[in-house]
Amino acid sequence: EADIYQTPRYLVIGTGKKITLECSQTMGHDKMYWYQQDPGMELHLIHYSYGVNSTEKGDLSSESTVSRIRTEHFPLTLESARPSHTSQYLCASSESSDHTGELFFGEGSRLTVL
Amino acid sequence: GQNIDQPTEMTATEGAIVQINCTYQTSGFNGLFWYQQHAGEAPTFLSYNVLDGLEEKGRFSSFLSRSKGYSYLLLKELQMKDSASYLCAVMDSNYQLIWGAGTKLIIKP
């Protein structure tokens, strides 16, 4: 059973607010990812990390930032939220050293920006 | 550009068999994944294919043809709980996953 947790599950905030979506995993996985998913659409990679102090931007242009100070923790921050940021954000981790391992997903954070 | 195509929606009957197709055009290939995603939930891993052929896992099987850029997921003895979206994803030459938009499978009694 996967042990990857996201908080908050649901968040409604006003434009211009700063928010941080938390993601933690207890599996000791080095690789962690943030995806954005709109209803009926494909997952888009916005950030990833292959280990502590390693972060990269994904293929989707994003105004968010991430940090990886500890293996188990990979928070995503939006400095100034806008209605276009309304979406579901999925955090995932993987243990595979050869990139072929499955991804374990958290339950997601559904963000609504008014 | 990189592209994953799968049908938007399919309907099948409880107890029957359904095949969900996925075609892809990517920069390189390092494997193809199928994930299941129930409405409002996170995706969960179903299968991984990197060599041509059929991989069977219980009621679910996944097939790959690299020369044709084609895969399918076969679900047998359908149950109501199989109603979900099925996501096809290909790992490209940079080991990044390219995702399809998913196929919403509706199971009718």
Side-chain angles (χ1 to χ4, degrees), chain A residues 9 35 37 40-43 45 48 50 88 90 98-103 105-107 110, chain B residues 30 33 35 37 40-45 48 87 91 94-102:
Chain A
R9 290 289 312 280
Y35 285 95
Q37 185 184 32
M41 302 294 288
E42 59 267 41
L43 278 73
L45 181 67
Y48 62 99
Y50 285 169
Q88 167 145 282
L90 291 167
D98 62 358
H99 302 278
T100 60
E102 64 180 280
L103 292 176
F105 284 88
E107 293 191 325
R110 186 167 296 279
Chain B
N30 280 301
F33 296 79
Y35 282 79
Q37 186 176 26
E41 298 183 10
T44 55
F45 171 82
Y48 170 71
L87 313 180
M91 185 164 285
N94 294 319
Y95 295 100
Q96 297 297 335
L97 277 176
I98 311 301
W99 294 82

Side-chain angles (χ1 to χ4, degrees), chain A residues 6 10 13 28-29 45 48 56 61 76-77 82 85 101:
Chain A
Q6 290 185 240
Y10 302 92
I13 61 169
H29 290 172
L45 181 67
Y48 62 99
E56 300 287 345
S61 176
L76 181 144
T77 298
R82 296 206 307 268
H85 294 138

